[in-house]
Amino acid sequence: MTVDKTMSIAEVLEMDRQTAPIMMAYGMHCMGCPMAMMESLEMAAGGHGADVDALVKELNDYFAQKEAAK
């Protein structure tokens, strides 16, 4: 699984709900907001002053570690 900054918050959460704490660490505490769920990671990070590239890297690192543990 690979995450990119054009993906919506909902798409990432559908891949794995355990990604929520990672996004929340970047200031995205709006996981339940219907409009926010449709935003891309880039839009959401920009709205919260977060570094989208760092967020995407951390999400991809999470998925890589999860895959390696299988």
Side-chain angles (χ1 to χ4, degrees), residues 2-67:
T2 302
V3 174
D4 69 68
K5 61 186 173 184
T6 66
M7 295 174 77
S8 70
I9 292 171
E11 287 175 299
V12 176
L13 288 172
E14 285 175 16
M15 291 167 66
D16 187 330
R17 291 267 181 212
Q18 296 304 312
T19 58
I22 296 170
M23 290 186 273
M24 291 176 74
Y26 283 82
M28 293 187 262
H29 298 274
C30 47
M31 297 293 143
C33 174
M35 291 304 291
M37 294 298 284
M38 294 184 297
E39 284 186 324
S40 69
L41 292 175
E42 186 170 34
M43 291 168 49
H48 293 283
D51 181 346
V52 69
D53 294 321
L55 170 60
V56 168
K57 181 184 181 320
E58 191 166 340
L59 289 167
N60 282 320
D61 288 349
Y62 167 79
F63 283 113
Q65 288 175 353
K66 184 178 172 182
E67 188 64 29

